[in-house]
Structures are given as C-alpha cells and as structure tokens.
Amino acid sequence: MTGGGSETKPTLKLRQAATGLWRLTGLVFLIAFGCWAAGIVLPVLHVTELFVFENDVSLLGVVRGLFGEGEIFVGVLVLLFTLLLPPAKLLLGAGLWHLSSVGGVGARRGVALLDAIGKWAMLDVLILALIVVMLKSNWLADAQAGTGLYFFAASAILSMIAGHGLRLTLRSAA
C-alpha cells in the first residue's frame, strides 16, 4: 500500500511516442532550420544586368535593399514572411516535439498554433517567386536561381514534413 495516494503515470513526450521514420521528426526540424539559415544568407538569385553587371542577391540583401530604397511596407512583408515567420515555426515545432507531453493540452494548443502559422508560411515562397518574376520581367536583367533558393525551398518542404510528423504522432499517441 502506498498511503492512499494515486500513482501517476509517467508522461510520454511526443518524441518518445513516435514510431517508424517519424522518430526522425526532431532531426528534420533541425535540418530545416539549417536550410533556412543557409537560404537567407546564400545568394537566391544571380542577376546579370545589361549583359555586363553581375550581382548575387540574398534574402537578407533583398530586405536591406527594400528598406534602403524606402520600400518600408514591402520590406516589412518580406522581413516578416521570410526572416521571422519560418524560424518561429521551426522553433515552435522543435520545442513541441522535444518538450510536449502526448496527452497534454499544451501539445494540442501548440500544434493548433503551428497550423495557424503554417497557413501563412507559404507566403515566403510566394514572395520569393514574385522577386524572381520582377527581375525576369525586366528586359535589361536576367536572373538565375542561386543555391540559397534551393536551401530556402528545402527548408519549406522539410518544415511541412516535420509538421506532419508532429501532428501524426500527436494523433496516434493520444
């Protein structure tokens, strides 16, 4: 007998409840974060103007350039949807994965927040596509995809995969 108290069942973390390849979800969040970091500093575009001048453009450079040119509204949008929202989503997902309990209300609320952020997260890809279209539509300039673009796209895709693994594990373990 244990003195009348009820025994508490140890809480299982999401990362402990995952099965199969979904056990790698935490690692996928980490790789996605690394791809995002590389994607914002490496050139996303290689621009040639007037067939002579060449310039490599990173997402950080785009944001700096927009603010420097006085395009505050567009600069804030690009800053928000390419530099702030994606890492927030990745950090929230990784935090939920490592710290949330399977049956906890916090995990369900966190995943709901992650889903809400995820609805806006693809706007970063749209903004990047608009930048490419704007540069390609100028007959004086030619734009080629840079390595940063591929890292940034990989981050978005890996983020979706990791988020799916998080939701799937939460549903199956509850």
Side-chain angles (χ1 to χ4, degrees):
M1 285 187 90
T2 60
S6 64
E7 290 186 33
T8 58
K9 186 175 160 184
T11 57
L12 194 62
K13 302 291 182 199
L14 284 173
R15 63 181 154 75
Q16 297 166 323
T19 59
L21 285 176
W22 294 118
R23 290 181 182 159
L24 300 175
T25 298
L27 179 62
V28 175
F29 274 120
L30 181 64
I31 293 169
F33 189 82
C35 287
W36 169 83
I40 65 167
V41 296
L42 291 173
V44 291
L45 294 172
H46 179 77
V47 181
T48 306
E49 297 179 70
L50 297 173
F51 307 106
V52 179
F53 304 106
E54 294 186 4
N55 188 19
D56 287 330
V57 180
S58 70
L59 286 173
L60 286 175
V62 167
V63 171
R64 247 187 317 242
L66 287 169
F67 283 113
E69 294 290 323
E71 296 288 344
I72 305 301
F73 179 72
V74 178
V76 167
L77 284 177
V78 175
L79 175 73
L80 179 64
F81 290 108
T82 61
L83 301 183
L84 298 179
L85 203 56
K89 180 182 174 188
L90 292 169
L91 292 174
L92 175 63
L96 288 169
W97 182 254
H98 289 288
L99 302 174
S100 292
S101 299
V102 167
V105 160
R108 287 191 305 277
R109 286 183 181 162
V111 168
L113 178 60
L114 195 64
D115 287 341
I117 292 172
K119 290 178 183 174
W120 291 96
M122 286 310 289
L123 196 55
D124 55 358
V125 176
L126 175 65
I127 287 173
L128 196 56
L130 287 174
I131 292 169
V132 171
V133 168
M134 283 178 5
L135 287 171
K136 287 238 180 220
S137 67
N138 183 353
W139 66 273
L140 297 175
D142 182 41
Q144 302 296 322
T147 54
L149 179 68
Y150 298 110
F151 276 108
F152 196 77
S155 173
I157 293 166
L158 290 171
S159 172
M160 288 188 283
I161 292 169
H164 180 70
L166 183 77
R167 283 185 294 282
L168 188 70
T169 300
L170 183 63
R171 267 189 249 127
S172 66

